[in-house]
Amino acid sequence: MGWFRAGSSVAKLAIRRTLSQGGSYAARTRAIPSQNRYLHTTVLKSKAQAAPVPRPVPLSRLTDSFLDGTSSVYLEELQRAWEEDPNSVDESWDNFFRNFVGQAATSPGISGQTIQESMRLLLLVRAYQVSGHMKAKLDPLDLEQREIPDDLNPALYGFTEADLDREFFLGVWRMSGFLSENRPVQTLRAILTRLEQAYCGTIGYEYMHIADRDQCNWIREKIETPTPTQYNRQRREVMLDRLIWSTQFENFLATKWTAAKRFGLEGGETLIPGMKEMFDRAADLGVESIVIGMSHRGRLNVLGNVVRKPLQQIFSEFSGGTKPVDEVGLYTGTGDVKYHLGTSYDRPTRGGKRIHLSLVANPSHLEAVDPLVVGKTRAKQYYSNDVNRTKNMGILIHGDGSFAGQGVVYETLHLSALPNYTTGGTIHIVVNNQVAFTTDPMSGRSSQYCTDVAKALNAPIFHVNGDDLEAVVHVCELAAEWRQTFHSDVVVDIVCYRRFGHNEIDEPSFTQPKMYKVIRNHPSALEIYQKKLLESGQVTKEDIDAIHKKVNSILNEEFLASKDYVPKRRDWLSAYWSGFKSPEQISRVRNTG
């Protein structure tokens, strides 16, 4: 791996030197034109499923190949030394020459492949691994404008359109994915098509900043599969059911309490099925308890659909509710608005197991709960003798503005590897609605992504288009697997939008008129997924209507039951706080005149 990184650096410098003959690099960066220039997120009209055609590069920029000169001499000397004595070169070069010479001799289709072309192809693959996320279609609103790096242009490496149907062999390396053993000889077109599918679809992977080769190889094995991930009909029906619950819950609240603040999840509804699939996968991998922390955005949906707080209790709180009958004389907390409360529940999983979920109560200060979740998770590990930190896990749900802007996030991230504070990794989910409160990303942070602060921890970051339900589910499962494998932090960045204002009473068009003009005509994630399943033929319209009818029926039943609901105790505390006086015991309300 070391030789490859060193070789990459030398080659990159040589490429830059060559390109300098044709003008400055900055002057040649290519941007997709867009009328919506106010928002920094990516408009890419090219299809990820098709291999990119190399863009024309002036001959003046290719007159000095990056493997000519000293680099070429070095390779030739290495090859001569290897031919005389294979043990005289590093093992990685021994593998390269042994494989290259052997494959060229036995495969007539690639007899014309040179060492220089092999190295160029390796650099092109690496460019996709490093920068492919910059070309990924992450913004569901298609408002984002980003420059596509020249590194992803095959012509930069000397390949032309005539090379697309030539067969190439990548070699056998101590790496995974496209550079792993037993990969068949493929045309350049097939290689580029799969690279586009893997790195430039609706998921953008950032992991090449991680120094650990085993961790990078683990991710490559998950990403660089021979074919894209596909879910069967049963899994898709489960995901559809969960997405309908998420969507219909918000619609029901909006219908019954039109003027109430609820900080709904509209525009990011795929968070709910993504979390459920993450918990199911985590339970399969040995997790028994999960502590969750989040701010108010989407909290009611998480309470009702993920942690299973009784719906009639949520509806009762919207209608004013009543105080618990056994509260007098016992301190159970003073309570808070409904979208700040927490709860706990033992939830059955899709795999037949049970997992304990605990959503920690959180005040209005967005990320204030982060260190509390980490501390509670650590305490659970201590008292349950979870020395390997695999049975208790913490999950933090952030907003895009607060993740980049609040210091407590960075402080909590840096607790992750400290011996006295580590919890064996926290999963961070960013509900990235691309506008913090009323601020566009380009005016709210200096970095490309709101998640860039997590790179300080060598944490992998999975950006995903929030309109693609199956992509959201895939990265959520991948995050659970990473945490249980490497016991370190991981970030899932769900790029979505906020259909209404900061709360439902606000008018967002005053501050983001262009964005909300697009949002008003944009279909929901549920409409998009229903259309996809209907076109695939796996689900009929009758199947979809039956799920809608079931969900609406349960919501209405719970609403009617909420009118007679009487809470027994503050459900978000697992036990009374013995020794603490209640507010009634500390003082009485007095007439102050």
Side-chain angles (χ1 to χ4, degrees):
M1 190 73 175
W3 70 265
F4 187 61
R5 286 179 174 163
S8 298
S9 300
V10 171
K12 292 286 184 184
L13 288 172
I15 289 176
R16 296 290 176 251
R17 180 195 64 200
T18 301
L19 295 182
S20 65
Q21 299 175 2
S24 67
Y25 180 69
R28 294 176 295 95
T29 51
R30 172 177 173 267
I32 298 294
S34 172
Q35 296 178 350
N36 303 294
R37 303 185 62 83
Y38 69 97
L39 188 65
H40 125 244
T41 23
T42 267
V43 174
L44 294 170
K45 300 302 182 185
S46 60
K47 295 183 179 179
Q49 304 300 320
V53 176
R55 302 193 300 274
V57 177
L59 289 176
S60 60
R61 288 166 56 186
L62 297 175
T63 53
D64 181 18
S65 169
F66 70 85
L67 281 177
D68 286 346
T70 56
S71 299
S72 179
V73 171
Y74 176 65
L75 275 177
E76 291 170 357
E77 289 178 352
L78 275 179
Q79 185 175 7
R80 279 196 296 268
W82 174 80
E83 290 171 349
E84 294 176 2
D85 180 11
N87 294 324
S88 65
V89 300
D90 184 80
E91 182 183 355
S92 57
W93 283 112
D94 179 36
N95 289 335
F96 175 80
F97 290 122
R98 187 185 306 278
N99 179 68
F100 176 78
V101 173
Q103 192 70 25
T106 58
S107 302
I110 62 164
S111 57
Q113 180 176 346
T114 64
I115 292 180
Q116 288 88 343
E117 286 177 330
S118 298
M119 296 298 292
R120 289 168 180 163
L121 189 54
L122 292 176
L123 287 175
L124 179 57
V125 171
R126 182 176 177 82
Y128 272 92
Q129 294 168 341
V130 174
S131 304
H133 60 90
M134 291 294 293
K135 197 178 177 182
K137 292 180 286 297
L138 302 178
D139 179 17
L141 302 178
D142 273 348
L143 292 172
E144 188 177 3
Q145 178 185 335
R146 288 187 296 179
E147 296 174 349
I148 300 177
D150 264 4
D151 289 358
L152 301 181
N153 180 11
L156 184 68
Y157 305 90
F159 296 111
T160 66
E161 192 169 355
D163 294 319
L164 289 177
D165 293 314
R166 284 180 56 200
E167 289 187 326
F168 288 89
F169 183 75
L170 282 171
V172 178
W173 309 96
R174 290 181 295 176
M175 283 183 275
S176 299
F178 296 127
L179 302 181
S180 63
E181 192 170 1
N182 295 325
R183 288 290 181 185
V185 173
Q186 300 180 68
T187 63
L188 180 61
R189 186 187 304 275
I191 294 171
L192 290 174
T193 297
R194 188 65 193 99
L195 283 168
E196 289 278 316
Q197 291 173 340
Y199 287 104
C200 305
T202 53
I203 302 175
Y205 298 96
E206 284 193 282
Y207 68 96
M208 292 297 282
H209 58 278
I210 301 174
D212 189 294
R213 184 177 66 189
D214 291 336
Q215 293 181 352
C216 288
N217 279 340
W218 185 89
I219 294 178
R220 288 191 193 101
E221 288 178 355
K222 303 292 184 179
I223 302 172
E224 299 179 359
T225 54
T227 57
T229 302
Q230 295 288 336
Y231 292 101
N232 58 33
R233 176 178 176 175
Q234 183 180 9
R235 286 293 302 278
R236 285 180 163 176
E237 287 178 345
V238 171
M239 286 187 274
L240 174 65
D241 181 87
R242 290 171 168 177
L243 184 57
I244 289 176
W245 267 107
S246 173
T247 305
Q248 291 297 89
F249 177 83
E250 298 292 354
N251 293 342
F252 188 82
L253 293 182
T255 302
K256 296 296 182 182
W257 295 277
T258 55
K261 290 182 181 180
R262 53 187 173 83
F263 299 96
L265 196 56
E266 289 95 340
E269 298 96 336
T270 51
L271 168 70
I272 301 303
M275 288 182 68
K276 289 183 175 182
E277 296 287 343
M278 176 187 288
F279 295 169
D280 290 344
R281 187 69 184 123
D284 292 339
L285 296 173
V287 175
E288 299 174 359
S289 175
I290 294 179
V291 182
I292 309 168
M294 66 182 298
S295 57
H296 46 271
R297 174 74 54 206
R299 187 181 192 89
L300 292 174
N301 210 321
V302 171
L303 279 168
N305 283 317
V306 178
V307 195
R308 302 283 182 88
K309 181 174 182 175
L311 294 177
Q312 57 182 273
Q313 184 175 356
I314 295 176
F315 298 156
S316 174
E317 290 166 356
F318 265 98
S319 302
T322 58
K323 293 182 67 175
V325 296
D326 56 353
E327 181 178 341
V328 177
L330 291 171
Y331 184 65
T332 56
T334 57
D336 203 341
V337 292
K338 49 195 167 293
Y339 42 80
H340 289 168
L341 300 177
T343 192
S344 61
Y345 179 71
D346 287 331
R347 183 180 181 278
T349 69
R350 182 166 42 84
K353 299 186 178 182
R354 298 190 74 85
I355 190 168
H356 181 76
L357 304 179
S358 174
L359 179 60
V360 178
N362 190 34
S364 294
H365 299 286
L366 297 178
E367 303 288 345
V369 76
D370 295 0
L372 301 180
V373 168
V374 174
K376 183 173 181 178
T377 304
R378 173 86 180 195
K380 284 196 167 202
Q381 292 171 346
Y382 176 81
Y383 285 108
S384 64
N385 197 32
D386 182 13
V387 293
N388 293 323
R389 312 196 187 285
T390 57
K391 298 179 181 179
N392 298 272
M393 181 171 73
I395 290 182
L396 291 173
I397 304 174
H398 311 268
D400 53 322
S402 57
F403 195 79
Q406 289 199 250
V408 67
V409 175
Y410 197 59
E411 293 163 357
T412 305
L413 287 170
H414 274 285
L415 294 174
S416 62
L418 300 182
N420 294 327
Y421 296 89
T422 182
T423 60
T426 300
I427 298 178
H428 302 269
I429 303 175
V430 180
V431 182
N432 184 353
N433 54 40
Q434 306 184 75
V435 51
F437 178 28
T438 57
T439 307
D440 291 334
M442 64 181 295
S443 302
R445 63 173 184 265
S446 299
S447 60
Q448 172 70 45
Y449 298 109
C450 63
T451 55
D452 283 347
V453 293
K455 291 182 179 178
L457 299 183
N458 286 332
I461 302 169
F462 308 137
H463 308 280
V464 60
N465 187 318
D467 270 359
D468 189 341
L469 172 60
E470 293 184 8
V472 172
V473 166
H474 177 66
V475 296
C476 284
E477 290 184 307
L478 187 61
E481 293 172 6
W482 169 277
R483 193 274 178 188
Q484 288 298 90
T485 302
F486 297 107
H487 314 295
S488 62
D489 285 29
V490 56
V491 179
V492 175
D493 177 25
I494 303 177
V495 184
C496 49
Y497 57 93
R498 191 182 66 199
R499 187 168 288 277
F500 303 109
H502 177 65
N503 63 61
E504 288 68 26
I505 303 174
D506 292 340
E507 175 48 66
S509 295
F510 291 147
T511 52
Q512 274 78 31
K514 294 182 180 179
M515 171 186 273
Y516 277 89
K517 183 179 180 181
V518 174
I519 289 176
R520 277 192 292 271
N521 300 313
H522 189 73
S524 68
L526 177 58
E527 292 171 330
I528 293 171
Y529 195 58
Q530 286 178 163
K531 181 180 179 182
K532 176 180 178 178
L533 294 186
L534 288 173
E535 290 176 349
S536 71
Q538 290 184 314
V539 175
T540 65
K541 190 175 187 305
E542 291 71 23
D543 296 331
I544 294 174
D545 291 341
I547 300 176
H548 278 278
K549 184 177 179 180
K550 175 194 70 173
V551 172
N552 283 326
S553 175
I554 294 174
L555 289 171
N556 280 295
E557 290 173 5
E558 292 291 314
F559 174 71
L560 293 174
S562 70
K563 297 179 180 180
D564 301 320
Y565 181 80
V566 178
K568 299 300 181 183
R569 61 184 178 88
R570 297 290 190 199
D571 80 310
W572 55 276
L573 290 173
S574 59
Y576 291 122
W577 291 14
S578 59
F580 286 81
K581 292 183 178 181
S582 69
E584 290 85 352
Q585 291 173 307
I586 293 175
S587 65
R588 297 190 302 275
V589 176
R590 301 178 186 275
N591 187 355
T592 60

